[in-house]
């Protein structure tokens, strides 16, 4: 089984791009070309600029605050493969975890902020010890994608 959350990440980036274009267009029309006359709907230019700036900052910080990551999962071969990277406005380093199915021990999930920030930590047997991988955030996965992930990992984990 293979899946990723690329549609959700692309949708989030398109929304961010759209809000950025709207904000820049407002700045150009209001202050550069002075085509927007204030007060507009009872608010002056300072209020409109502040409101639109807060909305733009919200769109920028939302994926960063909730640790949205691109997430790719595959268990089709002899290994469990997870690829991920930060999906915020400033992309992070691309990471990949590859674990042999025979050495996979299990996983642990964590949830914070009323379940809005979720992560998974994988464990693997190396010789006689247990290796713990860094947490991978699953906040950007849909409920269906999380179900697929946990069903697959439960199948391969050692009881």
């Amino acid at each position: 089984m293979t899946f990723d959350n690329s549609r959700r990440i692309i949708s989030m980036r398109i929304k961010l791009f759209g809000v950025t274009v709207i904000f820049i267009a407002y700045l150009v029309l209001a202050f550069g070309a002075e085509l927007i006359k204030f007060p507009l709907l009872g608010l002056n230019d300072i209020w409109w600029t502040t409101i639109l700036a807060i909305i733009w900052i919200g769109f920028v910080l939302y994926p960063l605050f909730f640790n949205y990551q691109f997430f790719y999962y595959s268990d089709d071969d002899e290994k469990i493969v997870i690829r991920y990277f930060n999906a915020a406005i400033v992309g992070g380093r691309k990471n990949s975890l590859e674990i042999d199915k025979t050495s996979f021990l299990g996983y642990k999930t964590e949830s914070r902020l009323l379940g809005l920030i979720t992560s998974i930590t994988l464990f693997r047997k190396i010789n006689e010890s247990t290796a713990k991988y860094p947490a991978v955030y699953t906040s950007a996965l849909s409920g269906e994608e999380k179900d697929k992930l946990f069903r697959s990992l439960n199948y391969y984990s050692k009881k």
Side-chain angles (χ1 to χ4, degrees):
M1 170 184 56
T2 301
F3 70 88
D4 64 39
N5 65 344
S6 59
R7 284 181 179 237
R8 182 172 242 188
I9 300 303
I10 290 170
S11 172
M12 181 191 64
R13 294 246 173 141
I14 288 172
K15 288 174 188 171
L16 176 60
F17 178 75
V19 170
T20 302
V21 168
I22 290 169
F23 186 57
I24 291 173
Y26 163 77
L27 292 176
V28 168
L29 292 174
F31 300 110
E34 296 181 1
L35 293 177
I36 299 176
K37 303 296 182 203
F38 294 100
L40 180 66
L41 298 174
L43 299 174
N44 64 12
D45 59 341
I46 294 173
W47 279 105
W48 277 109
T49 305
T50 303
I51 291 168
L52 291 175
I54 289 171
I55 291 170
W56 181 79
I57 289 170
F59 270 88
V60 169
L61 294 180
Y62 181 81
L64 185 66
F65 182 73
F66 291 110
N67 292 319
Y68 271 25
Q69 291 183 335
F70 168 79
F71 188 93
Y72 167 87
Y73 177 81
S74 176
D75 64 356
D76 292 337
D77 295 328
E78 301 299 318
K79 295 182 178 191
I80 296 171
V81 178
I82 296 178
R83 290 188 171 87
Y84 62 97
F85 63 88
N86 189 350
I89 194 164
V90 179
R93 192 178 78 185
K94 294 180 179 170
N95 301 297
S96 180
L97 305 177
E98 295 185 14
I99 303 171
D100 288 329
K101 291 177 183 176
T102 56
S103 65
F104 179 66
L105 289 177
Y107 66 95
K108 176 181 78 170
T109 60
E110 291 184 35
S111 177
R112 296 189 323 244
L113 204 61
L114 302 172
L116 294 174
I117 301 174
T118 57
S119 64
I120 185 168
T121 304
L122 304 176
F123 298 96
R124 169 186 187 175
K125 183 176 182 171
I126 297 180
N127 297 330
E128 296 301 319
S129 62
T130 301
K132 176 182 172 183
Y133 284 92
V136 178
Y137 289 95
T138 57
S139 304
L141 294 179
S142 68
E144 180 183 335
E145 291 167 337
K146 286 181 183 180
D147 288 343
K148 286 181 186 179
L149 174 66
F150 295 136
R151 270 185 288 166
S152 176
L153 292 177
N154 285 335
Y155 180 77
Y156 296 115
S157 66
K158 306 287 189 242
K159 304 292 183 220

